[in-house]
Amino acid sequence: MRGGVFGLLCSALLLAQDAVAQRPNAVRGNKPKKWVMRSVAGADYACKCYPGDDCWPNRGQWQKLNNTVGGNLQVNIPPGAPCYNTFQGPLGDVATYNAAECQKVTSNWNDEQFQIELPAAGLWTYFTNDTCRPTTTPTDTCTLGYYPVLVIMAKTAAHIQAGVDFARENNLRLIIRNTGHDFLGRSVGWGALVINTHSFQDIKFSDAWSGAGDYSGPAVTVGAGVQAFEVLKQANALKPPKIMVTGECATVGVAGGLVQGGGHGPLTNFYGFLADTALEFKVVTADGDLKTANADTNADLFWALRGGGPSAFAVIVEASYKIFEDKPSAGLHLDIDQSHTTNTTLFWEAVRVFHGYSTHFVDNGLYVYYELGTTGQNLHVHPFVGIGKTPEELQAVLEPMFADLDGLGITYTTSEADFPTFYDLYQAMFEGEMAGNSALTGGWTIARQDVEENHPAVISAFQTVVSAGSFLIGHMWSAGHGLPEEQWGDSAVNPRFRNVVDKLITIVPVAGNAPLADKAAAQDKLTNVVDAALREGSPNGCAYINEADPYEPNWQEAFWGETYSRLLEIRQKYDPDGVFYAVSTPGTENWEQIETGTRLCLKI
């Protein structure tokens, strides 16, 4: 049993208090609202309302909300609960064991799409506290951990509006969840109410955009729940085939967190970020209103939604983007590992050669996806992508690198192929990703200037990352290569991204249910060893909010640079009371998750 019906909700809520209390007076000038006051280490906090608090909504209020959202409110039960006799939830215990369902969950635990289709699962489990994983011992304990408490499986914009209104009026922590495809724990949160937008699956193509702005080419309008593989498949079926900017991973949603973080992918060399191609959004703002945001209407909100931070300004219901003609493309895989050399010095020389050509690759329109150190001494480039190139043209771009590798005397493995469209290459050459793992993720970018002026420092940073037991996932592109410079400021992404040639994700494995001391040590390693090395190696780089350390030092500068002050003004205009929250996004400076990362509170 993975998500109980509202009858279960009603019976469980008998265990919650019915009283509703108003906390006196405004916190920092806000309107009177329900707050839970806390003091920690001499600091005072006003916190959101959670189960067991006097201000937690009563049965009647939840029933009214359920009626408003068409019966689509449900208690959230962790995905692994069918493997346990009992789910011990904050609203009461529920008998959950089901052998067939347990087998289904266990066999599909690492499948991204399986997890995506669940009401409130996080694809990476660290920020759930790694609770209630599938087990063969049903008597083990299954608790909610940091999963949310209740979920609205929204089917209409009105359902989203009702959820936003209810969270605002009752001062609840609110989570917006589409696919759960994030590394920073934004899709989960202790004691929260979730609005799940994954049911919004409409896809509409237009030969000529007739909306706001001066663009008149082909476009696509997608619902909030549409994933990359779905829209790319339909775009490929058009005559002639079309393509849009999406992430490298096919299961990512293309409206919502991706575009609000910027949205980079294999076409970034040509068209910039997904945010740079956005034409219009339909959104629900913190006041519960359904708004249109484009170049002419709510233009400030439109700018902020294009890279200004996920779950920060509004809930995206629908998004419209430019699309482009697809082109024949060529791809090539490259592997250098211990089957090629056990000489550590030689291996790192090969890495230096490979990465030293990053500016050359992106200047010639290539996209390069690679992993470094996943199994120790391993460089796995899968793939080099030449959009609009023949295999011969791709080889010509790569020939100087191969000549230098040959000069080192190192062997390597390659395979190449050509395709009638980039979409076909995307289907064939990119490797699938897995869900259900637990780790901390960070990241940084490598600036062109640092490759050109001090590349040995970059490689030294890579060595530090790998020697610390972490590994790197790299994405070589240039968000300023194919986009006219006069358009760079049309979206809220950090201007430094226009001079980036490599965007890195760092991974520090750690169990979500590890002892607190071990978690603290892993976070310290990520922030002050792994990512610190990259910051030192590329001081002209920046960080990408969707794939970064959530506790990145000086995050305002790292994520947004000179755009931050404007983003902060827009956040204060559209969400002055903090209805929306995602860690390290504009306007969250005074918000903290206290009491071992549970209660979301405003420091006063």
Side-chain angles (χ1 to χ4, degrees), residues 347-356 372 446 454-465 472 534 537:
F347 173 77
W348 281 105
E349 276 297 292
V351 172
R352 178 191 61 78
V353 167
F354 159 72
H355 198 271
L372 177 63
I446 306 301
N454 195 11
H455 192 242
V458 174
I459 300 305
S460 177
F462 287 5
Q463 291 174 304
T464 297
V465 170
L472 290 163
L534 296 174

Side-chain angles (χ1 to χ4, degrees), residues 235-522:
N236 181 256
L238 298 174
K239 306 293 184 187
K242 297 291 194 299
I243 198 72
M244 68 175 288
V245 176
T246 63
E248 167 273 329
C249 179
T251 59
V252 174
V254 294
L258 180 66
V259 67
Q260 290 178 82
H264 67 88
L267 274 73
T268 291
N269 270 332
F270 297 92
Y271 310 114
F273 287 96
L274 177 62
D276 294 315
T277 71
L279 297 167
E280 184 173 274
F281 300 105
K282 298 292 178 60
V283 301
V284 175
T285 46
D287 57 7
D289 285 351
L290 182 63
K291 293 182 172 70
T292 296
N294 57 39
D296 298 333
T297 303
N298 298 310
D300 55 349
L301 179 60
F302 178 57
W303 179 82
L305 289 167
R306 302 170 72 186
S311 296
F313 298 95
V315 185
I316 293 179
V317 179
E318 181 181 276
S320 297
Y321 300 106
K322 300 175 184 178
I323 57 175
F324 311 94
E325 286 197 17
D326 206 346
K327 301 175 181 179
S329 299
L332 184 143
H333 289 164
L334 167 68
D335 283 285
I336 304 175
D337 54 39
Q338 291 188 346
S339 69
H340 302 102
T341 182
T342 58
N343 184 321
T344 300
T345 300
L346 181 60
F347 173 77
W348 281 105
E349 276 297 292
V351 172
R352 178 191 61 78
V353 167
F354 159 72
H355 198 271
Y357 279 97
S358 54
T359 58
H360 172 75
F361 296 151
V362 300
D363 287 347
N364 283 275
L366 300 193
Y367 173 84
V368 185
Y369 180 89
Y370 69 95
E371 298 170 353
L372 177 63
T374 52
T375 56
Q377 192 168 291
N378 177 40
L379 174 63
H380 181 68
V381 187
H382 277 228
F384 292 94
V385 178
I387 297 173
K389 294 190 185 316
T390 64
E392 294 75 20
E393 290 169 332
L394 176 58
Q395 280 284 355
V397 175
L398 298 178
E399 184 54 38
M401 177 196 70
F402 285 128
D404 285 354
L405 289 175
D406 292 340
L408 292 176
I410 194 170
T411 60
Y412 46 85
T413 301
T414 64
S415 62
E416 62 181 331
D418 64 314
F419 302 90
T421 64
F422 166 71
Y423 174 77
D424 292 294
L425 183 152
Y426 185 78
Q427 293 288 97
M429 299 198 77
F430 283 88
E431 297 172 328
E433 298 184 7
M434 296 177 62
N437 295 317
S438 179
L440 278 170
T441 62
W444 192 250
T445 61
I446 306 301
R448 173 184 296 273
Q449 179 180 348
D450 297 317
V451 173
E452 293 175 343
E453 296 179 1
N454 195 11
H455 192 242
V458 174
I459 300 305
S460 177
F462 287 5
Q463 291 174 304
T464 297
V465 170
V466 174
S467 66
S470 181
F471 61 93
L472 290 163
I473 300 173
H475 313 71
M476 292 182 185
W477 43 252
S478 170
H481 177 74
L483 189 72
E485 188 170 352
E486 61 270 19
Q487 296 180 23
W488 290 0
D490 291 349
S491 66
V493 298
N494 192 334
R496 282 196 173 196
F497 275 118
R498 306 305 176 180
N499 296 307
V500 161
V501 296
D502 192 3
K503 198 221 71 72
L504 301 167
I505 301 173
T506 53
I507 311 291
V508 175
V510 57
N513 58 1
L516 293 178
D518 292 354
K519 287 185 173 183

Side-chain angles (χ1 to χ4, degrees), residues 183-205:
F183 299 121
L184 281 71
R186 297 190 305 254
S187 295
V188 298
W190 182 82
L193 170 67
V194 169
I195 299 175
N196 184 307
T197 63
H198 193 57
S199 72
F200 292 74
Q201 292 288 328
D202 288 347
I203 301 175
K204 296 171 286 188
F205 293 98

Side-chain angles (χ1 to χ4, degrees), residues 120-149:
L123 268 64
W124 282 43
T125 60
Y126 179 81
F127 287 102
T128 71
N129 207 37
D130 235 2
T131 188
C132 201
R133 294 176 72 92
T135 181
T136 57
T137 310
T139 55
D140 284 350
T141 300
C142 172
T143 64
L144 193 62
Y146 291 175
Y147 281 112
V149 176

